[in-house]
Amino acid sequence: MVDKIIVDADLCIKLGGSNKYRYLYDVLPMISREIYMHTHAHGEVMIPACAVRQLQDLISEGKLILVNESGLDSKVRATYDAAYNNLAKVMANPMNPNKNKGEMCSLAYAKATGIPVFATDEKDLQPIIDKQLNTGMDDITCIRIVDIIVKAKEGELALPRKIAKALWVVSGKRKEIFDKEIWPVPVK
């Protein structure tokens, strides 16, 4: 378990994608003591309804805190703005200005406020973070769904294999990859 994470919309949508299983609601508090989400990323979670409900339950119970840059003092805000601008150089799309905006806002907020973990399912984001933001001070590491499953496999999270596999499948990932590469069934 880590102290603080900030979560991305894509992870919430994938983990919250089941009416039957409340993985978003159940798993995020297993990963971190404090859970944050930027208001822009929160606004990106519009479907499925089950993900929206689980996210709302986390917020209303005080398990997830919505944040944005408007309340930051001027020094911290300067760090936020610098981080956002560094990310925008490589992530902003002038043809689609909202593309990647949730990630950029979340990562800039994490950098400015010292949140060390970004929970996302974007596979190519860590190299961008390493190049644009990580300097050796207040570095940010991504945790993806595969990382959550590996933590469960290694006993760091209280998720049995069966539930981890269901979480993997609910997240839209292939069962065969889970069984062959991520968490193979132990041979007896």
Side-chain angles (χ1 to χ4, degrees), residues 8 10 16 20 31 51 54 91 95 117 128 159:
D8 191 19
D10 72 325
K20 186 175 179 184
I31 299 169
Q54 289 178 61
M91 294 177 71
M95 304 304 282
V117 178
I128 293 170
L159 280 179

Side-chain angles (χ1 to χ4, degrees), residues 20 101 134 183:
K20 186 175 179 184
K101 188 162 182 175
N134 288 348
W183 197 338

Side-chain angles (χ1 to χ4, degrees), residues 5-153:
I5 63 170
I6 191 161
V7 295
D8 191 19
D10 72 325
L11 186 102
C12 293
I13 291 165
K14 289 176 181 179
L15 288 182
S18 170
N19 279 313
K20 186 175 179 184
Y21 304 106
R22 292 174 49 90
Y23 292 131
L24 176 62
Y25 180 85
D26 292 335
V27 172
L28 283 184
M30 287 182 188
I31 299 169
S32 181
R33 289 179 216 356
E34 295 176 26
I35 307 162
Y36 299 91
M37 185 172 204
H38 193 280
T39 53
H40 190 87
H42 177 260
E44 294 176 348
V45 183
M46 295 183 268
I47 54 169
C50 44
V52 174
R53 272 193 308 277
Q54 289 178 61
L55 200 51
Q56 196 51 51
D57 289 347
L58 286 166
I59 294 164
S60 65
E61 294 173 21
K63 295 178 180 178
L64 186 147
I65 300 159
L66 291 177
V67 295
N68 66 52
E69 60 282 5
S70 66
L72 299 175
D73 71 43
S74 59
K75 186 178 175 189
V76 178
R77 177 62 190 255
T79 303
Y80 173 92
D81 290 340
Y84 186 90
N85 291 331
N86 276 349
L87 292 168
K89 289 176 193 170
V90 296
M91 294 177 71
N93 179 347
M95 304 304 282
N96 185 357
N98 280 327
K99 178 95 172 105
N100 298 326
K101 188 162 182 175
E103 288 94 343
M104 292 187 301
C105 291
S106 299
L107 286 165
Y109 190 90
K111 185 66 178 176
T113 61
I115 299 172
V117 178
F118 183 47
T120 182
D121 211 38
E122 299 287 338
K123 66 178 176 120
D124 300 323
L125 201 49
Q126 190 65 56
I128 293 170
I129 295 167
D130 290 342
K131 186 168 190 216
Q132 300 302 124
L133 297 181
N134 288 348
T135 60
M137 209 169 101
D138 294 325
D139 286 351
I140 300 167
T141 305
C142 290
I143 183 170
R144 297 176 46 227
I145 292 170
V146 67
D147 302 317
I148 294 168
I149 302 292
V150 169
K151 285 182 181 299
K153 178 183 172 188

Side-chain angles (χ1 to χ4, degrees), residues 145-153 159-186:
I145 292 170
V146 67
D147 302 317
I148 294 168
I149 302 292
V150 169
K151 285 182 181 299
K153 178 183 172 188
L159 280 179
R161 184 183 184 281
K162 182 179 177 182
I163 293 180
K165 183 175 180 177
L167 183 153
W168 181 260
V169 173
V170 162
S171 298
K173 300 182 183 301
R174 291 186 25 235
K175 195 173 6 180
E176 302 78 33
I177 292 173
F178 183 92
D179 289 334
K180 290 181 178 154
E181 298 172 28
I182 310 295
W183 197 338
V185 177

